[in-house]
Each structure stands twice: as structure tokens, then as C-alpha cells.
């Protein structure tokens, strides 16, 4: 059981922390214009990686149907009939690296009629203009990438006499996925860069506060105040700068998403995805708030430590 003096010291320390925590917020209110400008800069710095992160999260919810990226569409010549299509499909199925499905002109027209929505407009054709089509799905082999297998299969199909043309459907989807990966890497780079910017902005702001209270710091030093006591109000001010910047970034993010919701929803619907544009969850909001506060705290600590060194005081924890 702790002794009464130890409990008293703990209570005094807690009261002092609480007082500094809330009084530092009051100090920011004494110069509202400067505080508002600093918080605005911090909010914008945090907003840029945030809005890119949320946009990529929504785009990442698109069903890209990766399982069909390697689908090869084989169009047969006009003279090809069911026997020719069936024979070629059997030859493809006999390979270890592919599976085939033959689609007759009637089946193709029915699928096109349903997908296009033209309906009765297609009845103007006296004859079905569609050829026999074979959908070929490349199968991965041991130690062989799927894209390489698709390229080899593509070359073999183009050499068949009954084949009019071959279409490989997966490249643009791969490019989209690569762009999404690049976007995630950019989010990481922007997060690190703007985190450093937040630290620098807060450090510069606290440096001005420290310079304005230099005489007060010297008096505290003369009466025996320790480094931790001198640092404390400035550290909490830095925390509030960062936290308020995070709150502003969240507000700006929601405003931006409200503006971007319609075009983003159109993009998602174009891929057959029916869902609402997502926003930050509770855990992500708490992480944002905590990260902003910690970055502000780090900037304030660096600034105050530098001033203490200039005063010839030893840095202690």
C-alpha cells in the first residue's frame, strides 16, 4: 500500500497535468487569428493524404473479377460451323494450360440482346451476323505466371486456321490494379511527407510562443523549476494544435466526400457495384485524432528542447 506522501504527490502531479492540459487550450484562445491560421494549415496538410486514402478504399471495393482477367475470346471465321468450333474447343481442353467454352451465334446474340438492351432493334437483321466464339480461360502451370501462360496460349490460338481473331481481355484490368497499388504507395509517401510538415509547422508555432514567454521561462528557471515543468504547457499546446488540425481535416474530408460522392458513385456503379461511398470509421477517426495530437506533441517537444539548450539547461526526462 502506498504511503500518504506518495499519494499526495501523485494527486498533485495529476492536478497539475489536468490544469496544464486545459489551460493550454485557453492560451490558444488568447490569439484566435494565429491559432486559426495554424490549425487551417495543419488541417489541409492532413486532408490531402486522407482524401486520397478514402478514395482508394472506395475504389478498392470494386469487384475487378480477377478470376477472369486472363479470359481469351476467340472469334472463328464465318465459314466455321458447330463441328469446327467443337473440334477446336476439344483441342484447347486437351491442353494442360487452358479450358474452353464454345458459344454459338444464337447464344451470343441472346447474351448481347440481354446485355445491350437493344431488344427488338436487333430483329432488323435477316441473318445472325455473329460468328462462333470460344471463351478460353488460361490455367496456371507450376512455376509459370498466369500472364505468361496467357501470352503463350494466345500465340497458339492465332496460328489456328479456323480462327479469325483473338482478343485478350486482361491487360487493362491489370493496369487498373497496378494504378491502385501505385495510389496506395503514394498515400504512404504523402502521409510521411505531410506528417513531417505538421511537425515542422507546430515546432515553428511553438518556437514563437516560447520566444514570447522567454522572460517567464527565465524567471521559472531562477526559482528552480525543472525542464519538465517548463516544457509541460508548450507540449500540451502542441498537442492541441495537432488535434484541432485533425478535427478540421475530418470536417474538410466529409465536405469533400459530399461533393465527390456523386461522381464516385457513378464510377462504382459502372463496375456493377451497388453500395454507398464509405467514410472513415470510428477507429480510423480516433487514430487520426491521436496521430494529429502526437505529431503536434513531437513538434512542440523539438522546439522547446532547442530553446532549453540555448538557455544552457540540460535536457532531462
Amino acid at each position: 500500500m502506498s504511503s500518504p506522501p506518495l499519494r499526495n504527490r501523485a494527486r498533485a502531479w495529476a492536478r497539475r497535468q489536468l490544469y496544464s492540459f486545459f489551460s493550454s487550450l485557453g492560451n490558444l484562445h488568447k490569439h484566435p487569428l494565429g491559432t486559426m491560421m495554424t490549425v487551417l494549415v495543419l488541417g489541409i496538410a492532413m486532408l490531402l493524404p486522407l482524401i486520397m486514402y478514402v478514395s482508394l478504399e472506395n475504389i478498392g471495393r470494386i469487384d475487378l473479377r480477377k478470376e477472369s482477367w486472363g479470359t481469351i475470346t476467340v472469334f472463328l471465321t464465318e465459314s466455321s460451323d458447330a463441328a469446327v468450333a467443337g473440334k477446336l474447343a476439344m483441342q484447347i481442353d486437351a491442353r494442360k494450360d487452358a479450358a474452353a467454352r464454345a458459344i454459338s451465334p444464337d447464344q451470343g446474340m441472346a447474351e448481347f440482346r440481354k446485355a445491350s438492351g437493344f431488344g427488338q432493334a436487333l430483329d432488323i437483321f435477316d441473318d445472325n451476323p455473329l460468328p462462333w466464339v470460344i471463351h478460353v480461360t488460361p490455367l496456371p502451370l507450376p512455376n509459370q505466371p498466369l500472364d505468361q501462360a496467357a501470352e503463350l496460349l494466345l500465340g497458339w490460338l492465332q496460328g489456328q486456321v479456323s480462327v479469325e481473331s483473338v482478343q485478350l481481355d486482361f491487360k487493362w484490368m491489370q493496369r487498373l490494379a497496378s494504378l491502385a497499388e501505385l495510389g496506395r504507395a503514394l498515400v504512404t509517401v504523402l502521409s510521411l511527407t505531410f506528417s513531417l510538415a505538421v511537425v515542422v509547422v507546430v515546432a515553428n508555432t511553438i518556437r514563437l510562443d516560447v520566444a514570447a514567454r522567454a522572460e517567464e521561462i527565465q524567471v521559472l528557471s531562477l526559482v528552480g523549476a525543472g525542464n519538465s515543468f517548463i516544457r509541460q504547457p508548450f507540449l500540451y499546446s502542441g498537442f492541441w494544435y495537432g488535434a484541432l488540425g485533425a478535427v478540421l481535416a475530418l470536417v474538410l474530408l466529409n465536405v469533400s466526400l459530399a461533393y465527390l460522392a456523386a461522381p464516385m458513385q457513378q464510377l462504382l456503379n459502372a463496375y456493377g457495384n451497388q453500395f454507398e461511398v464509405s467514410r472513415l470509421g470510428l477507429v480510423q477517426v480516433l487514430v487520426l485524432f491521436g496521430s494529429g495530437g502526437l505529431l503536434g506533441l513531437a513538434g512542440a517537444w523539438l522546439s522547446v528542447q532547442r530553446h532549453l539548450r540555448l538557455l544552457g539547461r540540460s535536457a532531462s526526462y
Side-chain angles (χ1 to χ4, degrees), residues 209-229:
D209 291 344
V210 171
R213 299 172 61 181
E215 294 182 357
E216 178 184 344
I217 293 175
Q218 290 178 345
V219 172
L220 290 174
S221 175
L222 291 176
V223 298
N227 285 344
S228 60
F229 184 85

Side-chain angles (χ1 to χ4, degrees), residues 114-317:
K114 181 178 179 181
S116 65
F118 290 144
Q120 295 180 351
L122 298 175
D123 294 335
I124 62 174
F125 294 104
D126 294 331
D127 298 320
N128 191 338
L130 298 180
W132 274 86
V133 175
I134 299 178
H135 280 179
V136 182
T137 303
L139 302 178
L141 296 177
N143 302 321
Q144 185 181 45
L146 184 59
D147 56 349
Q148 183 179 349
E151 292 288 351
L152 293 174
L153 184 58
L154 179 66
W156 180 83
L157 289 170
Q158 289 175 335
Q160 302 303 307
V161 178
S162 59
V163 173
E164 178 71 26
S165 64
V166 181
Q167 179 179 339
L168 187 58
D169 301 328
F170 76 107
K171 284 189 176 295
W172 72 276
M173 299 293 282
Q174 286 183 324
R175 294 189 185 110
L176 178 60
S178 298
L179 285 175
E181 290 298 325
L182 176 61
R184 294 186 184 93
L186 285 176
V187 168
T188 301
V189 172
L190 287 176
S191 298
L192 294 176
T193 303
F194 284 103
S195 294
L196 179 61
V198 169
V199 172
V200 171
V201 170
V202 173
N204 184 64
T205 303
I206 296 298
R207 180 184 65 82
L208 298 176
D209 291 344
V210 171
R213 299 172 61 181
E215 294 182 357
E216 178 184 344
I217 293 175
Q218 290 178 345
V219 172
L220 290 174
S221 175
L222 291 176
V223 298
N227 285 344
S228 60
F229 184 85
I230 295 175
R231 277 196 304 259
Q232 187 173 289
F234 297 108
L235 294 182
Y236 284 133
S237 294
F239 171 84
W240 282 116
Y241 277 125
L244 291 175
V247 172
L248 179 60
L250 184 62
V251 173
L252 294 176
L253 175 66
N254 288 327
V255 172
S256 301
L257 288 179
Y259 176 76
L260 296 173
M264 191 177 296
Q265 189 66 59
Q266 290 177 359
L267 173 64
L268 298 178
N269 291 341
Y271 285 89
N273 293 263
Q274 301 291 331
F275 50 79
E276 295 295 327
V277 175
S278 66
R279 302 172 185 268
L280 293 181
L282 177 60
V283 174
Q284 293 168 318
V285 170
L286 293 177
V287 169
L288 171 63
F289 183 81
S291 299
L294 289 177
L295 290 173
L297 201 65
W301 188 87
L302 292 173
S303 183
V304 177
Q305 283 297 102
R306 179 177 179 276
H307 187 78
L308 291 178
R309 293 193 189 98
L310 292 176
L311 290 178
R313 299 180 58 86
S314 60
S316 60
Y317 294 88

Side-chain angles (χ1 to χ4, degrees), residues 1-15:
M1 184 176 180
S2 59
S3 60
L6 183 59
R7 287 201 301 269
N8 292 337
R9 285 198 297 270
R11 290 172 182 171
W13 180 87
R15 284 196 298 268

Side-chain angles (χ1 to χ4, degrees), residues 66-121:
K66 293 183 178 180
E67 68 279 358
S68 63
W69 280 9
T71 299
I72 300 174
T73 303
V74 181
F75 297 93
L76 303 187
T77 59
E78 291 185 12
S79 59
S80 299
D81 53 15
V84 173
K87 181 180 179 181
L88 181 58
M90 291 179 61
Q91 290 176 341
I92 296 172
D93 283 329
R95 297 171 59 97
K96 295 182 179 180
D97 59 350
R101 180 173 70 92
I103 300 177
S104 69
D106 292 338
Q107 288 176 311
M109 179 59 74
E111 292 179 4
F112 180 72
R113 186 189 299 271
K114 181 178 179 181
S116 65
F118 290 144
Q120 295 180 351

